[in-house]
Amino acid sequence: MKYIDEFRNGDYAAEVARRIHAEADPERRYRFMEFCGGHTHTLFRYGIPDLLPANVKMIHGPGCPVCVLPMARIDAAIELAVRHQVVLCSYGDMLRVPGAHRTSLQKAKSQGADVRMLYSPADALRIALENPQRQVVFFAIGFETTTPPTAAVLLKAQELKLRNFSVFCNHVLTPPAITGILEPAQQAGERIIEGLVGPGHVSVITGGGAYDSLARRYRTPIVIAGFEPLDILHSILLLVRQCNAGRYDVENQYSRAVTASGNAKAQSMAARTMTLRDSFEWRGLGWMPHSALRIRPEFADYDAERRFELSPSEARENKACECPAVLRGAKAPTDCKLFATVCTPDNPIGACMVSSEGACAAHYSYGHTR
Amino acid sequence: MSLDPDFRHGCVELIHGGGGRAMRRLIDALFLQAFDNPLLRAGDDQACFQVAPGRMVMTTDSHVISPLFFPGGDIGALAVHGTVNDVCMAGAVPLYLSAAFILEEGFPLSDLRRIVLSMAEAAREAGVAIVTGDTKVVERGKGDGVFITTTGVGRLPENVSCSVARVAIGDRILVSGCLGDHGVAILSQRENLEFEADLRSDSQSLHDLVATMIAVDPGLHCMRDPTRGGLAATLNEIAQQAQVGMRLRENAIPVRQEVRAACEFLGLDPLYIANEGKLIAFCAPEQADALLQAMRSHPKGRDAAIIGEVIEDPRCFVRLRTGFGGERVVDWRSGDPLPRIC
């Protein structure tokens, strides 16, 4: 398959792995965090950790939109579907995430709520047009990658003057999340990672320049990587080289898709429709200032949080669940007592076990560690 | 008002399941004509047939699919292929089928006729006779158009014993062809996703391929058709039942390029995608090459491959040596395959 097979070639992989082995200093340790859940998934799916020297370790970061959404927001989505009886449109992975009392959108659906899985926010708009008598809400989640499509439907809904469509906005931002991980360690005078495999799809929108100040402030090299296994392996080699040279630059390994300034049109659409929240709660990272987006007042008619009264959530995380520490890279999934015992993909307790891009699900499904 | 079914404009009505004249006329005009054979024509409430001495196999399966018509097949042909293949996986020769229909009020009779004719064609092609059946009608909104349950009966040759109990350490694992065609064809229709490639379901009866395989290796250890859950679910099931592990080679597993591309696009793994016309076989290592050659000589096994072997593993893991050089576990899937978000 053109453009894919080239990035999965076992011979190239063996060559890059040889270089990593040759260049990694046996006296040093190299802890690299892959920010994106997509990278975590690729690492496991292709068995990349098997190819790395023992002192090069990958640590999973918070870059899975499903995993970082706190339970309270899931409860709010369930409330929209159950109490307000809207047609709740959601991306597939969100359906199985447990909210309070171990309920989920999927369970609400089986009990009669109108919950629909979709691939694109445009489908939610279509459902609203086809069902003028029903209120239709799009459960918008994700990092900078999924924000522009949400912005596009907000603009379209306004253009069409739709009265039965709104968006429950949960879009979050990457740079504050990286800050949320690196700042506490910096303040404590610790180093938790030696380098960061930077987000790929997010950077297509934001541009590589979005991370320059982070790399400098935390003296941490960042290599923006594509999602093919060879992309990641190559990015690890570039990080090893930066560490060895004592550099902390932003390098763009994913140059076939990512530019320095990103996608201006997508950025502009997001800016027209959404603005920074003062603060937003992240699972694992807590409340972080200016880390998420809300819908601008000009689009208030399409803001589900304004249109519907939502109750405070009673959600309580399971105290034994280590998802928060896993999301910060402070613990490995296998450090959690619930991992592979109580918490499995068939019975997920924490969000990291639900999403296929979650660190726990990837460890469980692909790992040798059970 | 005429009680004769109007196959151009008519719909299924509750009266078609009521046990009265309308039901009789629908059965006569549609099912009897399409499935016509002496046992069905006898008109009894059961089919009475002579069986040869020896072992018989029997299996049943309900077919629920959306959409009912898809590239490469429909629910009717699928209801025949699925059950015929389940009979065949024992190494048996399929002989008879029963067919039970649950129809939803309002379902177009033209579509029902299309489905029934497709079933009849599939049964003829597989050399089986549909010898008994049933029709029920449920109110509008209480069904999904058509549900079909088929039960199959077949005869097992004397020297054949295909069973998971015979899977042994060292066995070679073979697949009969490219994986994931059916699931991706269905998904592309169900989700209104438009792929440039012409993806068709692989729905087909495997009776003749199995006969070819049994002729070469009557001692074949085990066969399964990797339907729901795909290769991954089927191998995990067998690994658990036989209390063994398996090691697969990713590069050896045949997957059509269009299927790989569609799976990439949706964030799915072809190993977990459903098939309706493929089989997995376990055989003694010394038989593997001859069996592979026989499979490849048959049109339905043209792309057959040896994809791995059975190993000792108390944890019953199915492991995959990736084309990239690493190793991973191929686990059961949890729930429906869900596309990724970004």
PDB file of all heavy atoms in Angstrom, chain A residues 1 5 8 10 45-46 50 66 119 345-346 364-368 370, chain B residues 191 260 264 315 322-324 326-329 331 334 338-339 341:
ATOM      1  N   MET A   1       0.852  -1.181   0.000  1.00  0.00           N
ATOM      2  CA  MET A   1       0.000   0.000   0.000  1.00  0.00           C
ATOM      3  C   MET A   1       0.893   1.237   0.000  1.00  0.00           C
ATOM      4  O   MET A   1       1.654   1.431   0.923  1.00  0.00           O
ATOM      5  CB  MET A   1      -0.864  -0.013   1.247  1.00  0.00           C
ATOM      6  CG  MET A   1      -2.104   0.801   1.100  1.00  0.00           C
ATOM      7  SD  MET A   1      -3.026   0.818   2.654  1.00  0.00           S
ATOM      8  CE  MET A   1      -3.093  -0.896   3.062  1.00  0.00           C
ATOM      9  N   ASP A   5       3.012   0.964   3.406  1.00  0.00           N
ATOM     10  CA  ASP A   5       3.969  -0.141   3.504  1.00  0.00           C
ATOM     11  C   ASP A   5       5.386   0.366   3.785  1.00  0.00           C
ATOM     12  O   ASP A   5       6.138  -0.255   4.524  1.00  0.00           O
ATOM     13  CB  ASP A   5       3.967  -0.962   2.206  1.00  0.00           C
ATOM     14  CG  ASP A   5       2.719  -1.811   2.104  1.00  0.00           C
ATOM     15  OD1 ASP A   5       2.051  -1.979   3.139  1.00  0.00           O
ATOM     16  OD2 ASP A   5       2.408  -2.280   1.005  1.00  0.00           O
ATOM     17  N   ARG A   8       6.158   0.603   7.336  1.00  0.00           N
ATOM     18  CA  ARG A   8       6.012  -0.604   8.156  1.00  0.00           C
ATOM     19  C   ARG A   8       7.045  -1.654   7.757  1.00  0.00           C
ATOM     20  O   ARG A   8       6.868  -2.830   8.058  1.00  0.00           O
ATOM     21  CB  ARG A   8       4.600  -1.172   7.982  1.00  0.00           C
ATOM     22  CG  ARG A   8       3.588  -0.215   8.503  1.00  0.00           C
ATOM     23  CD  ARG A   8       2.194  -0.706   8.371  1.00  0.00           C
ATOM     24  NE  ARG A   8       1.295   0.371   8.787  1.00  0.00           N
ATOM     25  CZ  ARG A   8      -0.005   0.278   8.779  1.00  0.00           C
ATOM     26  NH1 ARG A   8      -0.586  -0.829   8.400  1.00  0.00           N
ATOM     27  NH2 ARG A   8      -0.745   1.280   9.167  1.00  0.00           N
ATOM     28  N   GLY A  10       9.856  -3.998   7.782  1.00  0.00           N
ATOM     29  CA  GLY A  10      10.625  -4.609   8.856  1.00  0.00           C
ATOM     30  C   GLY A  10      12.132  -4.433   8.705  1.00  0.00           C
ATOM     31  O   GLY A  10      12.846  -4.291   9.699  1.00  0.00           O
ATOM     32  N   ARG A  45       0.899  -2.170  19.006  1.00  0.00           N
ATOM     33  CA  ARG A  45       0.415  -2.980  17.881  1.00  0.00           C
ATOM     34  C   ARG A  45       1.573  -3.570  17.078  1.00  0.00           C
ATOM     35  O   ARG A  45       1.479  -4.666  16.554  1.00  0.00           O
ATOM     36  CB  ARG A  45      -0.479  -2.114  16.985  1.00  0.00           C
ATOM     37  CG  ARG A  45      -1.036  -2.888  15.823  1.00  0.00           C
ATOM     38  CD  ARG A  45      -2.079  -2.128  15.068  1.00  0.00           C
ATOM     39  NE  ARG A  45      -2.427  -2.868  13.866  1.00  0.00           N
ATOM     40  CZ  ARG A  45      -3.235  -2.432  12.922  1.00  0.00           C
ATOM     41  NH1 ARG A  45      -3.815  -1.282  13.050  1.00  0.00           N
ATOM     42  NH2 ARG A  45      -3.476  -3.166  11.867  1.00  0.00           N
ATOM     43  N   TYR A  46       2.661  -2.813  16.989  1.00  0.00           N
ATOM     44  CA  TYR A  46       3.789  -3.298  16.187  1.00  0.00           C
ATOM     45  C   TYR A  46       4.922  -3.856  17.036  1.00  0.00           C
ATOM     46  O   TYR A  46       5.977  -4.190  16.516  1.00  0.00           O
ATOM     47  CB  TYR A  46       4.279  -2.175  15.259  1.00  0.00           C
ATOM     48  CG  TYR A  46       3.232  -1.839  14.240  1.00  0.00           C
ATOM     49  CD1 TYR A  46       2.312  -0.826  14.482  1.00  0.00           C
ATOM     50  CD2 TYR A  46       3.085  -2.589  13.074  1.00  0.00           C
ATOM     51  CE1 TYR A  46       1.296  -0.543  13.585  1.00  0.00           C
ATOM     52  CE2 TYR A  46       2.082  -2.320  12.172  1.00  0.00           C
ATOM     53  CZ  TYR A  46       1.188  -1.298  12.435  1.00  0.00           C
ATOM     54  OH  TYR A  46       0.177  -1.048  11.542  1.00  0.00           O
ATOM     55  N   ASP A  50       9.864  -4.050  21.936  1.00  0.00           N
ATOM     56  CA  ASP A  50      10.783  -5.192  21.770  1.00  0.00           C
ATOM     57  C   ASP A  50      12.062  -4.795  21.041  1.00  0.00           C
ATOM     58  O   ASP A  50      13.074  -5.476  21.143  1.00  0.00           O
ATOM     59  CB  ASP A  50      10.120  -6.298  20.922  1.00  0.00           C
ATOM     60  CG  ASP A  50       9.004  -6.991  21.665  1.00  0.00           C
ATOM     61  OD1 ASP A  50       8.846  -6.722  22.870  1.00  0.00           O
ATOM     62  OD2 ASP A  50       8.285  -7.793  21.039  1.00  0.00           O
ATOM     63  N   VAL A  66     -10.552  10.468  25.080  1.00  0.00           N
ATOM     64  CA  VAL A  66     -11.530   9.734  25.892  1.00  0.00           C
ATOM     65  C   VAL A  66     -11.027   9.633  27.333  1.00  0.00           C
ATOM     66  O   VAL A  66     -11.774   9.809  28.290  1.00  0.00           O
ATOM     67  CB  VAL A  66     -11.769   8.327  25.308  1.00  0.00           C
ATOM     68  CG1 VAL A  66     -12.698   7.519  26.193  1.00  0.00           C
ATOM     69  CG2 VAL A  66     -12.328   8.432  23.908  1.00  0.00           C
ATOM     70  N   TYR A 119     -19.394   9.274  13.013  1.00  0.00           N
ATOM     71  CA  TYR A 119     -18.006   9.418  12.610  1.00  0.00           C
ATOM     72  C   TYR A 119     -17.626  10.880  12.448  1.00  0.00           C
ATOM     73  O   TYR A 119     -16.453  11.221  12.453  1.00  0.00           O
ATOM     74  CB  TYR A 119     -17.773   8.712  11.265  1.00  0.00           C
ATOM     75  CG  TYR A 119     -17.890   7.219  11.349  1.00  0.00           C
ATOM     76  CD1 TYR A 119     -19.116   6.591  11.231  1.00  0.00           C
ATOM     77  CD2 TYR A 119     -16.754   6.447  11.560  1.00  0.00           C
ATOM     78  CE1 TYR A 119     -19.217   5.221  11.322  1.00  0.00           C
ATOM     79  CE2 TYR A 119     -16.848   5.077  11.648  1.00  0.00           C
ATOM     80  CZ  TYR A 119     -18.083   4.467  11.525  1.00  0.00           C
ATOM     81  OH  TYR A 119     -18.189   3.108  11.612  1.00  0.00           O
ATOM     82  N   PRO A 345     -10.699  -4.772  29.546  1.00  0.00           N
ATOM     83  CA  PRO A 345     -11.486  -4.110  28.495  1.00  0.00           C
ATOM     84  C   PRO A 345     -12.971  -4.512  28.520  1.00  0.00           C
ATOM     85  O   PRO A 345     -13.822  -3.733  28.096  1.00  0.00           O
ATOM     86  CB  PRO A 345     -10.804  -4.580  27.209  1.00  0.00           C
ATOM     87  CG  PRO A 345      -9.401  -4.852  27.613  1.00  0.00           C
ATOM     88  CD  PRO A 345      -9.492  -5.420  29.004  1.00  0.00           C
ATOM     89  N   ASP A 346     -13.275  -5.697  29.024  1.00  0.00           N
ATOM     90  CA  ASP A 346     -14.682  -6.099  29.103  1.00  0.00           C
ATOM     91  C   ASP A 346     -15.395  -5.469  30.291  1.00  0.00           C
ATOM     92  O   ASP A 346     -16.615  -5.410  30.326  1.00  0.00           O
ATOM     93  CB  ASP A 346     -14.789  -7.630  29.215  1.00  0.00           C
ATOM     94  CG  ASP A 346     -14.407  -8.293  27.906  1.00  0.00           C
ATOM     95  OD1 ASP A 346     -14.764  -7.744  26.849  1.00  0.00           O
ATOM     96  OD2 ASP A 346     -13.740  -9.331  27.942  1.00  0.00           O
ATOM     97  N   TYR A 364      -3.048  -4.082  28.011  1.00  0.00           N
ATOM     98  CA  TYR A 364      -3.799  -5.317  28.213  1.00  0.00           C
ATOM     99  C   TYR A 364      -3.917  -6.102  26.903  1.00  0.00           C
ATOM    100  O   TYR A 364      -3.646  -7.297  26.845  1.00  0.00           O
ATOM    101  CB  TYR A 364      -5.194  -5.009  28.762  1.00  0.00           C
ATOM    102  CG  TYR A 364      -5.965  -6.250  29.131  1.00  0.00           C
ATOM    103  CD1 TYR A 364      -5.973  -6.702  30.447  1.00  0.00           C
ATOM    104  CD2 TYR A 364      -6.664  -6.988  28.181  1.00  0.00           C
ATOM    105  CE1 TYR A 364      -6.659  -7.852  30.804  1.00  0.00           C
ATOM    106  CE2 TYR A 364      -7.344  -8.145  28.527  1.00  0.00           C
ATOM    107  CZ  TYR A 364      -7.336  -8.564  29.829  1.00  0.00           C
ATOM    108  OH  TYR A 364      -8.009  -9.709  30.175  1.00  0.00           O
ATOM    109  N   SER A 365      -4.326  -5.400  25.866  1.00  0.00           N
ATOM    110  CA  SER A 365      -4.644  -6.100  24.621  1.00  0.00           C
ATOM    111  C   SER A 365      -3.421  -6.585  23.873  1.00  0.00           C
ATOM    112  O   SER A 365      -3.449  -7.604  23.208  1.00  0.00           O
ATOM    113  CB  SER A 365      -5.450  -5.181  23.698  1.00  0.00           C
ATOM    114  OG  SER A 365      -6.644  -4.815  24.331  1.00  0.00           O
ATOM    115  N   TYR A 366      -2.350  -5.831  23.950  1.00  0.00           N
ATOM    116  CA  TYR A 366      -1.184  -6.171  23.136  1.00  0.00           C
ATOM    117  C   TYR A 366       0.003  -6.646  23.970  1.00  0.00           C
ATOM    118  O   TYR A 366       1.002  -7.120  23.430  1.00  0.00           O
ATOM    119  CB  TYR A 366      -0.719  -4.956  22.331  1.00  0.00           C
ATOM    120  CG  TYR A 366      -1.686  -4.489  21.286  1.00  0.00           C
ATOM    121  CD1 TYR A 366      -1.930  -3.136  21.093  1.00  0.00           C
ATOM    122  CD2 TYR A 366      -2.348  -5.389  20.470  1.00  0.00           C
ATOM    123  CE1 TYR A 366      -2.804  -2.696  20.114  1.00  0.00           C
ATOM    124  CE2 TYR A 366      -3.219  -4.959  19.494  1.00  0.00           C
ATOM    125  CZ  TYR A 366      -3.450  -3.606  19.318  1.00  0.00           C
ATOM    126  OH  TYR A 366      -4.295  -3.184  18.351  1.00  0.00           O
ATOM    127  N   GLY A 367      -0.078  -6.417  25.276  1.00  0.00           N
ATOM    128  CA  GLY A 367       1.116  -6.604  26.088  1.00  0.00           C
ATOM    129  C   GLY A 367       1.395  -8.045  26.444  1.00  0.00           C
ATOM    130  O   GLY A 367       0.572  -8.930  26.271  1.00  0.00           O
ATOM    131  N   HIS A 368       2.559  -8.257  26.995  1.00  0.00           N
ATOM    132  CA  HIS A 368       2.947  -9.601  27.436  1.00  0.00           C
ATOM    133  C   HIS A 368       2.896  -9.652  28.952  1.00  0.00           C
ATOM    134  O   HIS A 368       3.358 -10.580  29.556  1.00  0.00           O
ATOM    135  CB  HIS A 368       4.382  -9.920  27.060  1.00  0.00           C
ATOM    136  CG  HIS A 368       4.802  -9.398  25.739  1.00  0.00           C
ATOM    137  ND1 HIS A 368       5.198 -10.246  24.745  1.00  0.00           N
ATOM    138  CD2 HIS A 368       4.896  -8.161  25.235  1.00  0.00           C
ATOM    139  CE1 HIS A 368       5.526  -9.512  23.681  1.00  0.00           C
ATOM    140  NE2 HIS A 368       5.341  -8.260  23.959  1.00  0.00           N
ATOM    141  N   ARG A 370       0.443  -9.408  31.213  1.00  0.00           N
ATOM    142  CA  ARG A 370      -0.658  -9.895  32.041  1.00  0.00           C
ATOM    143  C   ARG A 370      -0.242 -11.116  32.823  1.00  0.00           C
ATOM    144  O   ARG A 370       0.513 -11.945  32.327  1.00  0.00           O
ATOM    145  CB  ARG A 370      -1.856 -10.246  31.167  1.00  0.00           C
ATOM    146  CG  ARG A 370      -2.829  -9.139  31.085  1.00  0.00           C
ATOM    147  CD  ARG A 370      -3.973  -9.556  30.222  1.00  0.00           C
ATOM    148  NE  ARG A 370      -3.618  -9.502  28.824  1.00  0.00           N
ATOM    149  CZ  ARG A 370      -4.213 -10.234  27.883  1.00  0.00           C
ATOM    150  NH1 ARG A 370      -5.134 -11.105  28.219  1.00  0.00           N
ATOM    151  NH2 ARG A 370      -3.878 -10.111  26.638  1.00  0.00           N
TER     152      ARG A 370
ATOM    153  N   GLU B 191     -22.464   2.320   7.456  1.00  0.00           N
ATOM    154  CA  GLU B 191     -22.120   3.641   7.961  1.00  0.00           C
ATOM    155  C   GLU B 191     -22.100   4.699   6.851  1.00  0.00           C
ATOM    156  O   GLU B 191     -21.605   5.793   7.056  1.00  0.00           O
ATOM    157  CB  GLU B 191     -20.744   3.591   8.649  1.00  0.00           C
ATOM    158  CG  GLU B 191     -20.583   2.465   9.641  1.00  0.00           C
ATOM    159  CD  GLU B 191     -21.527   2.559  10.820  1.00  0.00           C
ATOM    160  OE1 GLU B 191     -22.214   3.575  10.946  1.00  0.00           O
ATOM    161  OE2 GLU B 191     -21.578   1.599  11.612  1.00  0.00           O
ATOM    162  N   ARG B 260      -7.304  -3.605   3.944  1.00  0.00           N
ATOM    163  CA  ARG B 260      -6.307  -2.971   4.818  1.00  0.00           C
ATOM    164  C   ARG B 260      -6.477  -1.467   4.813  1.00  0.00           C
ATOM    165  O   ARG B 260      -6.424  -0.813   5.850  1.00  0.00           O
ATOM    166  CB  ARG B 260      -4.891  -3.316   4.337  1.00  0.00           C
ATOM    167  CG  ARG B 260      -4.444  -4.693   4.741  1.00  0.00           C
ATOM    168  CD  ARG B 260      -3.069  -5.000   4.198  1.00  0.00           C
ATOM    169  NE  ARG B 260      -2.059  -4.100   4.722  1.00  0.00           N
ATOM    170  CZ  ARG B 260      -0.840  -3.968   4.205  1.00  0.00           C
ATOM    171  NH1 ARG B 260      -0.490  -4.676   3.151  1.00  0.00           N
ATOM    172  NH2 ARG B 260       0.028  -3.166   4.731  1.00  0.00           N
ATOM    173  N   GLU B 264      -7.448   0.860   7.926  1.00  0.00           N
ATOM    174  CA  GLU B 264      -6.594   1.986   8.320  1.00  0.00           C
ATOM    175  C   GLU B 264      -7.428   3.230   8.526  1.00  0.00           C
ATOM    176  O   GLU B 264      -7.313   3.929   9.517  1.00  0.00           O
ATOM    177  CB  GLU B 264      -5.579   2.290   7.195  1.00  0.00           C
ATOM    178  CG  GLU B 264      -4.385   1.406   7.161  1.00  0.00           C
ATOM    179  CD  GLU B 264      -3.606   1.414   8.450  1.00  0.00           C
ATOM    180  OE1 GLU B 264      -3.490   2.493   9.058  1.00  0.00           O
ATOM    181  OE2 GLU B 264      -3.153   0.345   8.866  1.00  0.00           O
ATOM    182  N   ARG B 315      -1.074 -19.846  29.438  1.00  0.00           N
ATOM    183  CA  ARG B 315      -1.972 -18.691  29.462  1.00  0.00           C
ATOM    184  C   ARG B 315      -2.850 -18.611  28.208  1.00  0.00           C
ATOM    185  O   ARG B 315      -3.682 -17.725  28.070  1.00  0.00           O
ATOM    186  CB  ARG B 315      -1.165 -17.410  29.633  1.00  0.00           C
ATOM    187  CG  ARG B 315      -0.505 -17.351  31.010  1.00  0.00           C
ATOM    188  CD  ARG B 315       0.144 -16.019  31.253  1.00  0.00           C
ATOM    189  NE  ARG B 315       1.247 -15.778  30.317  1.00  0.00           N
ATOM    190  CZ  ARG B 315       1.968 -14.658  30.304  1.00  0.00           C
ATOM    191  NH1 ARG B 315       1.710 -13.699  31.149  1.00  0.00           N
ATOM    192  NH2 ARG B 315       2.953 -14.518  29.452  1.00  0.00           N
ATOM    193  N   THR B 322       5.058  -9.402  14.502  1.00  0.00           N
ATOM    194  CA  THR B 322       4.629  -8.355  13.569  1.00  0.00           C
ATOM    195  C   THR B 322       5.613  -8.251  12.408  1.00  0.00           C
ATOM    196  O   THR B 322       6.780  -8.626  12.533  1.00  0.00           O
ATOM    197  CB  THR B 322       4.532  -6.974  14.263  1.00  0.00           C
ATOM    198  OG1 THR B 322       5.863  -6.493  14.512  1.00  0.00           O
ATOM    199  CG2 THR B 322       3.765  -7.042  15.563  1.00  0.00           C
ATOM    200  N   GLY B 323       5.116  -7.735  11.312  1.00  0.00           N
ATOM    201  CA  GLY B 323       5.963  -7.540  10.137  1.00  0.00           C
ATOM    202  C   GLY B 323       7.076  -6.565  10.446  1.00  0.00           C
ATOM    203  O   GLY B 323       8.075  -6.479   9.730  1.00  0.00           O
ATOM    204  N   PHE B 324       6.901  -5.822  11.537  1.00  0.00           N
ATOM    205  CA  PHE B 324       7.847  -4.783  11.919  1.00  0.00           C
ATOM    206  C   PHE B 324       8.984  -5.361  12.759  1.00  0.00           C
ATOM    207  O   PHE B 324       9.948  -4.675  13.058  1.00  0.00           O
ATOM    208  CB  PHE B 324       7.070  -3.734  12.722  1.00  0.00           C
ATOM    209  CG  PHE B 324       7.695  -2.378  12.698  1.00  0.00           C
ATOM    210  CD1 PHE B 324       7.770  -1.672  11.520  1.00  0.00           C
ATOM    211  CD2 PHE B 324       8.193  -1.814  13.847  1.00  0.00           C
ATOM    212  CE1 PHE B 324       8.345  -0.414  11.497  1.00  0.00           C
ATOM    213  CE2 PHE B 324       8.765  -0.559  13.839  1.00  0.00           C
ATOM    214  CZ  PHE B 324       8.844   0.147  12.665  1.00  0.00           C
ATOM    215  N   GLY B 326       8.501  -6.872  15.897  1.00  0.00           N
ATOM    216  CA  GLY B 326       8.172  -7.040  17.311  1.00  0.00           C
ATOM    217  C   GLY B 326       7.188  -8.174  17.510  1.00  0.00           C
ATOM    218  O   GLY B 326       6.858  -8.903  16.564  1.00  0.00           O
ATOM    219  N   GLU B 327       6.756  -8.329  18.739  1.00  0.00           N
ATOM    220  CA  GLU B 327       5.749  -9.357  19.015  1.00  0.00           C
ATOM    221  C   GLU B 327       4.653  -8.749  19.870  1.00  0.00           C
ATOM    222  O   GLU B 327       4.913  -7.875  20.694  1.00  0.00           O
ATOM    223  CB  GLU B 327       6.379 -10.536  19.752  1.00  0.00           C
ATOM    224  CG  GLU B 327       5.425 -11.720  19.800  1.00  0.00           C
ATOM    225  CD  GLU B 327       6.027 -12.933  20.502  1.00  0.00           C
ATOM    226  OE1 GLU B 327       6.778 -13.655  19.854  1.00  0.00           O
ATOM    227  OE2 GLU B 327       5.727 -13.131  21.689  1.00  0.00           O
ATOM    228  N   ARG B 328       3.447  -9.195  19.650  1.00  0.00           N
ATOM    229  CA  ARG B 328       2.347  -8.720  20.479  1.00  0.00           C
ATOM    230  C   ARG B 328       1.327  -9.827  20.662  1.00  0.00           C
ATOM    231  O   ARG B 328       1.343 -10.834  19.942  1.00  0.00           O
ATOM    232  CB  ARG B 328       1.683  -7.502  19.859  1.00  0.00           C
ATOM    233  CG  ARG B 328       0.932  -7.785  18.564  1.00  0.00           C
ATOM    234  CD  ARG B 328      -0.001  -6.635  18.290  1.00  0.00           C
ATOM    235  NE  ARG B 328      -0.456  -6.504  16.939  1.00  0.00           N
ATOM    236  CZ  ARG B 328      -1.711  -6.794  16.551  1.00  0.00           C
ATOM    237  NH1 ARG B 328      -2.568  -7.286  17.396  1.00  0.00           N
ATOM    238  NH2 ARG B 328      -2.067  -6.610  15.296  1.00  0.00           N
ATOM    239  N   VAL B 329       0.454  -9.602  21.639  1.00  0.00           N
ATOM    240  CA  VAL B 329      -0.634 -10.541  21.863  1.00  0.00           C
ATOM    241  C   VAL B 329      -1.816 -10.110  20.999  1.00  0.00           C
ATOM    242  O   VAL B 329      -2.090  -8.928  20.854  1.00  0.00           O
ATOM    243  CB  VAL B 329      -1.027 -10.526  23.360  1.00  0.00           C
ATOM    244  CG1 VAL B 329      -2.288 -11.333  23.609  1.00  0.00           C
ATOM    245  CG2 VAL B 329       0.119 -11.059  24.210  1.00  0.00           C
ATOM    246  N   ASP B 331      -5.504 -10.308  21.257  1.00  0.00           N
ATOM    247  CA  ASP B 331      -6.450 -10.618  22.322  1.00  0.00           C
ATOM    248  C   ASP B 331      -7.871 -10.721  21.773  1.00  0.00           C
ATOM    249  O   ASP B 331      -8.142 -10.373  20.626  1.00  0.00           O
ATOM    250  CB  ASP B 331      -6.371  -9.499  23.379  1.00  0.00           C
ATOM    251  CG  ASP B 331      -6.992  -9.905  24.685  1.00  0.00           C
ATOM    252  OD1 ASP B 331      -7.200 -11.113  24.892  1.00  0.00           O
ATOM    253  OD2 ASP B 331      -7.285  -9.014  25.495  1.00  0.00           O
ATOM    254  N   SER B 334     -13.134  -6.495  22.720  1.00  0.00           N
ATOM    255  CA  SER B 334     -14.156  -6.126  23.694  1.00  0.00           C
ATOM    256  C   SER B 334     -15.230  -5.320  22.990  1.00  0.00           C
ATOM    257  O   SER B 334     -14.957  -4.246  22.476  1.00  0.00           O
ATOM    258  CB  SER B 334     -13.554  -5.284  24.806  1.00  0.00           C
ATOM    259  OG  SER B 334     -12.560  -6.018  25.442  1.00  0.00           O
ATOM    260  N   LEU B 338     -14.953  -0.169  17.417  1.00  0.00           N
ATOM    261  CA  LEU B 338     -15.314   1.245  17.392  1.00  0.00           C
ATOM    262  C   LEU B 338     -14.221   2.023  16.657  1.00  0.00           C
ATOM    263  O   LEU B 338     -13.049   1.835  16.922  1.00  0.00           O
ATOM    264  CB  LEU B 338     -15.437   1.786  18.826  1.00  0.00           C
ATOM    265  CG  LEU B 338     -16.505   1.137  19.686  1.00  0.00           C
ATOM    266  CD1 LEU B 338     -16.400   1.608  21.128  1.00  0.00           C
ATOM    267  CD2 LEU B 338     -17.883   1.457  19.133  1.00  0.00           C
ATOM    268  N   PRO B 339     -14.627   2.886  15.756  1.00  0.00           N
ATOM    269  CA  PRO B 339     -13.612   3.658  15.047  1.00  0.00           C
ATOM    270  C   PRO B 339     -12.945   4.670  15.959  1.00  0.00           C
ATOM    271  O   PRO B 339     -13.534   5.121  16.931  1.00  0.00           O
ATOM    272  CB  PRO B 339     -14.418   4.375  13.966  1.00  0.00           C
ATOM    273  CG  PRO B 339     -15.812   4.374  14.444  1.00  0.00           C
ATOM    274  CD  PRO B 339     -15.989   3.218  15.357  1.00  0.00           C
ATOM    275  N   ILE B 341     -11.160   8.236  17.208  1.00  0.00           N
ATOM    276  CA  ILE B 341     -11.687   9.589  17.164  1.00  0.00           C
ATOM    277  C   ILE B 341     -10.849  10.484  16.262  1.00  0.00           C
ATOM    278  O   ILE B 341     -11.370  11.280  15.497  1.00  0.00           O
ATOM    279  CB  ILE B 341     -11.779  10.152  18.596  1.00  0.00           C
ATOM    280  CG1 ILE B 341     -12.869   9.386  19.343  1.00  0.00           C
ATOM    281  CG2 ILE B 341     -12.074  11.637  18.598  1.00  0.00           C
ATOM    282  CD1 ILE B 341     -12.898   9.638  20.812  1.00  0.00           C
TER     283      ILE B 341
END
